[in-house]
Amino acid sequence: MRIVALAGGIGGARFLRGLKDVTGPGDEITVIGNTGDDIHLFGLKVCPDLDTLMYTLGGGIHEEQGWGRADETWSIKGEMKAYGVGPEWFGLGDKDFATHIVRTQMLAAGYPLSAVTEALCERWQPGVRLLPMSDDRVETHVRITDESGTRAVHFQEYWVRLHAAVDAEAIIPVGADTAKPAPGVLEAIAAADVILLPPSNPVVSIGTVLAVPGIRQAVGSAAAPVVGLSPIIGGSPVRGMADKVLQAVGVDTTAEAVALHYGRKGAVRSASNEGGGGRRAGLLDGWLVDTADAASVAAVEAAGIPCRAVPLLMSDPEATAAMARAALDLAEQVRA
Amino acid sequence: MRIVALAGGIGGARFLRGLKDVTGPGDEITVIGNTGDDIHLFGLKVCPDLDTLMYTLGGGIHEEQGWGRADETWSIKGEMKAYGVGPEWFGLGDKDFATHIVRTQMLAAGYPLSAVTEALCERWQPGVRLLPMSDDRVETHVRITDESGTRAVHFQEYWVRLHAAVDAEAIIPVGADTAKPAPGVLEAIAAADVILLPPSNPVVSIGTVLAVPGIRQAVGSAAAPVVGLSPIIGGSPVRGMADKVLQAVGVDTTAEAVALHYGRKGAVRSASNEGGGGRRAGLLDGWLVDTADAASVAAVEAAGIPCRAVPLLMSDPEATAAMARAALDLAEQVRA
């Protein structure tokens, strides 16, 4: 079976580990990773979501933290402080730095990000084909208003430095409008047997992937069933501060609202204020909500999206594998 | 007193530490550092001699090793090996990497190497004004013949990877012919009260500094006395493999031959095969040899260069300070 998943960082990576547990050697998993979180720090190209996916699936992640490397050292961070070179708010360990140094060197040598990612994965052997959503530079910015006035800050600054403590007024995937899907992205979607939307952030992770022209259309018109998993349980994000960015695009922080935000595959509706204009293709053939949100199943189904309530907390590998199994089961049901 | 010293890495740095010990707050030391050893590794600009000078004088050097940082960690080196990214033969620790990352970022932002060096020294406070010989890229290459045929390799490859085990046929300071002295270099030489040539490598360290058009002429015509210290004791280099590169320029590995290679200030002779053509200004107003080479004093003086035999082993801070004191004393004698 050929499975395609769109994914952000921590949540997506953990879900994909569960997916690997319930698939076999005959299955092929292609992951289309968000690169809107990418940032240039210290002259180096840092791809937080791709690295979290690569480290998690390749066995190098810092498990408790969810990002960065296990058994990390922090010599460079101390040196940067001694040199007075910032930013200090973004944590890059020494081992992590090595990845960014290798990536930056390859990019400077002319390799596109997709080729660089493939080369890095030669080492990590993540067991999936990891593709960046695009080889073109896309950077998610967030419009905020604080004592410095109204301005757009890099997503990482909003998320990591400001901890999303101020309201996000708009999410702007800078560069997305002219970006092209990376080689293999559209082909993988077209050839997929199942397409999954893991419980990643629907706005700044999966939403950014979908903002690359061609990807939303490809998913929305794919022959394969598209099944998503709610990142919202009982009205709160399972992890992170997704409510802040959902609010920015006018979507309530509920499992039902996120389903309607993705939309029913085959439906076309006018775009929200997420950026880009015009009409937008719906995506979902199926949706999973947590058992805590069982009451919303009827409303989602009323919108034409088959929906099931199953446990969606990735509390351990078994629970995560069961979620992946449930997503694949729902895909088979809607296919039939 | 305004003192100018031309310097390479380890030997120059240790000598300068001794010089600081015998000078006071009213004295100004300007160090013109060799950048011919510079190399681009992992996409980063590495300046081994400038860093050795900066770390040694700023209290961050690995004392036993003579290069690199004290209390270093090596996470990145392990990662590079895991990624299969070389070279492996050049040792860069994590803290050292931080310096190269900051330098590379500043260079990419448009600052010349002299400004970057000044910024790095803001942290290290080396107690001297450290100037690169040039802001222009100069890289010393070494012509060798081995089983791969005759070819030129980067000096670092010759020195660090090959351990100078094959003969150096020629020393080629690539780019030196069109390089300009960094801002402040010629001014410092012109304004100096004393100019010192520490016991650095006379070919690939001090020789490279002198290969930048204008520097040799400035030293050779300086009003200040120029005093050098022999890096050769009893027919052998005190440290490193200077004999190999002396041989390449047709100079015997003796304290006397190195003095004659630098030449008597005021004398002009045809250039050796060190690269560059035409006539070359002599430099020395005075020369120090080790007591083991006392027999060569007469020959050096016969060439018109005042010479003294004093202990030249930098075995401890006191011995090194005494060497610096002897050099300054000789400068006063020849001035009078």
Side-chain angles (χ1 to χ4, degrees), chain A residues 246 250-263 269 287 296 300:
Chain A
L246 282 167
V251 176
D252 289 344
T253 305
T254 67
E256 174 190 343
V258 172
L260 300 181
H261 173 65
Y262 281 138
R269 60 195 178 91
W287 185 243
S296 66
V300 174

Side-chain angles (χ1 to χ4, degrees), chain B:
Chain B
M1 188 163 54
R2 285 161 296 189
I3 305 171
V4 168
L6 278 52
I10 301 177
R14 289 183 175 168
F15 173 77
L16 288 164
R17 199 157 52 177
L19 180 64
K20 279 173 65 183
D21 285 344
V22 298
T23 52
D27 299 313
E28 289 175 13
I29 304 173
T30 300
V31 177
I32 303 170
N34 171 39
T35 59
D37 291 19
D38 292 4
I39 185 167
H40 285 76
L41 292 170
F42 310 108
L44 301 172
K45 171 81 162 177
V46 180
C47 301
D49 282 0
L50 293 182
D51 288 348
T52 295
L53 290 162
M54 190 168 73
Y55 296 158
T56 302
L57 298 174
I61 199 76
H62 186 299
E63 286 292 342
E64 295 70 41
Q65 202 169 245
W67 55 269
R69 296 288 306 281
D71 306 315
E72 185 58 285
T73 64
W74 296 89
S75 293
I76 293 182
K77 192 174 176 70
E79 291 298 303
M80 291 300 172
K81 191 174 170 67
Y83 278 122
V85 173
E88 284 186 38
W89 49 264
F90 201 89
L92 292 178
D94 300 329
K95 293 184 178 181
D96 206 12
F97 255 108
T99 300
H100 313 318
I101 290 169
V102 172
R103 174 187 291 122
T104 303
Q105 187 178 11
M106 287 192 71
L107 290 170
Y111 293 96
L113 183 60
S114 51
V116 175
T117 304
E118 188 178 351
L120 295 173
C121 285
E122 279 289 307
R123 169 194 175 183
W124 288 103
Q125 297 290 320
V128 303
R129 184 174 174 222
L130 178 59
L131 302 177
M133 65 189 200
S134 177
D135 280 335
D136 301 317
R137 180 169 172 173
V138 178
E139 271 188 12
T140 304
H141 287 212
V142 179
R143 197 176 74 217
I144 60 170
T145 299
D146 61 9
E147 62 278 7
S148 306
T150 296
R151 61 205 169 98
V153 298
H154 190 288
F155 172 72
Q156 297 293 357
E157 186 173 354
Y158 180 71
W159 208 248
V160 179
R161 188 171 81 83
L162 301 174
H163 303 291
V166 291
D167 283 347
E169 297 167 357
I171 309 298
I172 311 141
V174 178
D177 51 340
T178 57
K180 291 175 296 299
V185 165
L186 297 183
E187 294 80 352
I189 293 170
D193 297 308
V194 175
I195 298 172
L196 299 178
L197 305 185
S200 292
N201 189 305
V203 181
V204 293
S205 294
I206 293 181
T208 309
V209 177
L210 294 169
V212 176
I215 296 185
R216 170 178 282 275
Q217 292 83 336
V219 174
S221 62
V226 179
V227 172
L229 298 93
S230 176
I232 305 296
I233 297 182
S236 298
V238 175
R239 189 188 169 93
M241 302 148 289
D243 49 327
K244 288 290 188 169
V245 291
L246 281 168
Q247 186 179 43
V249 296
V251 175
D252 288 345
T253 305
T254 67
E256 174 190 343
V258 173
L260 300 182
H261 174 64
Y262 281 138
R264 173 178 62 80
K265 196 202 270 178
V268 174
R269 61 194 177 92
S270 56
S272 75
N273 58 342
E274 222 178 322
R279 292 151 67 80
R280 216 172 58 170
L283 304 172
L284 295 176
D285 290 301
W287 186 242
L288 294 180
V289 300
D290 187 73
T291 45
D293 296 309
S296 65
V297 168
V300 174
E301 296 215 317
I305 304 170
C307 183
R308 304 285 180 275
V310 297
L312 289 189
L313 272 179
M314 297 189 279
S315 45
D316 57 47
E318 292 69 32
T320 310
M323 283 168 59
R325 181 78 268 160
L328 295 176
D329 286 348
L330 181 54
E332 292 315 307
Q333 290 168 30
V334 300
R335 189 200 309 278

Side-chain angles (χ1 to χ4, degrees), chain A residues 101-114:
Chain A
I101 290 170
V102 172
R103 175 187 290 119
T104 303
Q105 187 179 11
M106 286 191 72
L107 289 170
Y111 293 95
L113 183 61
S114 51

Side-chain angles (χ1 to χ4, degrees), chain A residues 11-200:
Chain A
R14 288 182 174 169
F15 173 77
L16 289 164
R17 200 156 52 176
L19 180 64
K20 279 174 63 184
D21 285 345
V22 298
T23 52
D27 299 312
E28 288 175 14
I29 303 172
T30 300
V31 178
I32 302 170
N34 170 40
T35 59
D37 291 19
D38 292 3
I39 186 167
H40 286 77
L41 293 169
F42 310 106
L44 302 173
K45 171 81 161 178
V46 180
C47 300
D49 283 0
L50 293 182
D51 287 348
T52 295
L53 290 162
M54 190 168 73
Y55 296 159
T56 302
L57 299 173
I61 198 77
H62 185 299
E63 285 293 342
E64 296 70 43
Q65 201 170 248
W67 55 269
R69 297 287 307 281
D71 305 316
E72 185 58 285
T73 63
W74 296 89
S75 293
I76 293 182
K77 192 173 175 68
E79 291 298 303
M80 290 301 173
K81 192 174 169 65
Y83 278 121
V85 173
E88 282 185 42
W89 49 264
F90 201 89
L92 292 179
D94 301 328
K95 292 184 179 182
D96 207 11
F97 255 108
T99 300
H100 313 318
I101 290 170
V102 172
R103 175 187 290 119
T104 303
Q105 187 179 11
M106 286 191 72
L107 289 170
Y111 293 95
L113 183 61
S114 51
V116 175
T117 304
E118 188 178 354
L120 295 173
C121 286
E122 279 288 308
R123 168 193 174 183
W124 288 103
Q125 297 289 321
V128 304
R129 183 176 174 220
L130 178 59
L131 302 176
M133 66 190 199
S134 177
D135 281 334
D136 301 318
R137 181 169 172 172
V138 178
E139 269 189 13
T140 303
H141 287 212
V142 180
R143 197 176 73 217
I144 61 171
T145 300
D146 60 11
E147 62 278 6
S148 306
T150 297
R151 61 203 169 99
V153 298
H154 191 287
F155 171 73
Q156 297 293 358
E157 186 173 355
Y158 180 72
W159 208 247
V160 179
R161 188 171 82 82
L162 301 173
H163 302 291
V166 291
D167 283 347
E169 297 167 357
I171 310 297
I172 311 139
V174 179
D177 51 339
T178 57
K180 291 175 295 300
V185 165
L186 297 182
E187 295 80 353
I189 294 170
D193 297 308
V194 175
I195 298 172
L196 299 177
L197 305 185
S200 292

Side-chain angles (χ1 to χ4, degrees), chain A residues 176-263:
Chain A
D177 51 339
T178 57
K180 291 175 295 300
V185 165
L186 297 182
E187 295 80 353
I189 294 170
D193 297 308
V194 175
I195 298 172
L196 299 177
L197 305 185
S200 292
N201 189 306
V203 183
V204 293
S205 294
I206 292 181
T208 309
V209 177
L210 293 169
V212 176
I215 297 185
R216 171 177 282 275
Q217 293 84 332
V219 174
S221 62
V226 178
V227 173
L229 298 94
S230 176
I232 307 296
I233 297 183
S236 298
V238 175
R239 189 189 170 93
M241 303 148 287
D243 49 327
K244 289 290 188 169
V245 292
L246 282 167
Q247 188 180 42
V249 298
V251 176
D252 289 344
T253 305
T254 67
E256 174 190 343
V258 172
L260 300 181
H261 173 65
Y262 281 138

